[in-house]
Amino acid sequence: LRGSLLMIAAFGAFAVMMTLIKLAGGRVPLPQILIVRQLVMTLILALLVGRALPRIMHTSRPGLQFLRGMFSLGAMLCGFTALIYLPMAEATALGFAQVLFVTLLAIVILGEVVDRRRWIALAVGFVGVFIMLRPGGEAMNGYALLAILGALFGAGITIAVRVLGHTEKTETILFWQGAVVLLALGVPAIVMWTQPTPTEWALMIGIGVVGTAGQWLVTRAYQM
């Protein structure tokens, strides 16, 4: 029950974050938004853990932490690009494919058992995604496919967190995600930097705050 409530709260935080990204992404490059978001998240984590930061940085599974960070990078670049350029309802609906990918990966990687009813629901879900893509229609464009790819990366995040959650602290997982994103997007953000207006600064900082809350909530939920 606690995990379910945390997941619902995470979805609420992500809904706010997605709205802010849609507003900020009209002029500010996405790498710049993500770098500011990650810097805000790192600052919040540093303030929360205080002197325990060196201990939080330690991980017993650096390879999986790095892989999880790359999944996060892919999910944000693909999913948020689709969010900026597609109608928000369409991008969100296509993003729900993540749930379907999670189910498949949980079967293949985690060995979880799925009964016949869930297999039927999974098949119906993928048919629904196919209908939303409308192959040959106006929705069948690169941004729609990016939304699906972002959902696949998001499923990878979920499975990685599920495995890491047995041995790693929530703050450790978030720290490593931040490190990977900052290293990967630092140079592109500097090259593409656009001077934000005060409103855009407020939007980006807000994205960082609610994004941190959502990441912490969803990580704890999957651990539970």
Side-chain angles (χ1 to χ4, degrees):
L1 179 59
R2 284 197 307 250
S4 299
L5 292 175
L6 288 175
M7 186 65 75
I8 292 170
F11 286 156
F14 287 143
V16 175
M17 182 188 71
M18 290 167 66
T19 304
L20 297 179
I21 289 174
K22 185 75 171 177
L23 292 171
R27 195 182 74 91
V28 181
L30 182 58
Q32 180 177 335
I33 294 174
L34 296 180
I35 279 291
V36 174
R37 173 186 184 270
Q38 208 57 62
L39 288 172
V40 172
M41 178 181 290
T42 303
L43 178 61
I44 292 173
L45 283 176
L47 291 173
L48 288 176
V49 301
R51 295 180 179 178
L53 183 60
R55 179 166 50 84
I56 293 300
M57 293 166 61
H58 174 74
T59 178
S60 59
R61 311 193 72 168
L64 188 55
Q65 291 280 15
F66 177 78
L67 183 61
R68 193 265 184 194
M70 294 303 294
F71 284 151
S72 295
L73 181 64
M76 289 189 288
L77 288 176
C78 294
F80 294 161
T81 299
L83 177 65
I84 292 170
Y85 291 103
L86 289 176
M88 189 165 180
E90 184 178 321
T92 304
L94 291 171
F96 281 126
Q98 177 177 333
V99 179
L100 308 177
F101 290 132
V102 166
T103 304
L104 283 178
L105 291 177
I107 296 169
V108 174
I109 298 176
L110 302 180
E112 294 190 2
V113 178
V114 176
D115 59 27
R116 186 174 63 178
R117 290 177 302 170
R118 288 180 175 80
W119 275 113
I120 294 173
L122 194 64
V124 172
F126 276 116
V127 170
V129 170
F130 189 76
I131 291 172
M132 283 190 291
L133 283 173
R134 295 196 298 275
E138 62 179 30
M140 189 61 177
N141 57 51
Y143 295 124
L145 294 176
L146 275 180
I148 298 297
L149 184 58
L152 181 57
F153 280 126
I157 295 171
T158 301
I159 300 301
V161 168
R162 184 74 167 179
V163 176
L164 288 168
H166 295 300
T167 59
E168 308 288 288
K169 292 182 178 293
T170 304
E171 293 80 6
T172 302
I173 296 173
L174 295 183
F175 171 84
W176 275 77
Q177 172 197 310
V180 172
V181 172
L182 288 173
L183 288 173
L185 293 182
V187 173
I190 293 172
V191 172
M192 301 171 67
W193 187 268
T194 299
Q195 185 58 38
T197 64
T199 299
E200 288 166 342
W201 272 118
L203 289 172
M204 289 192 293
I205 292 172
I207 290 167
V209 172
V210 295
T212 301
Q215 287 284 342
W216 190 90
L217 289 165
V218 77
T219 302
R220 287 294 296 140
Y222 280 127
Q223 286 175 323
M224 291 181 180

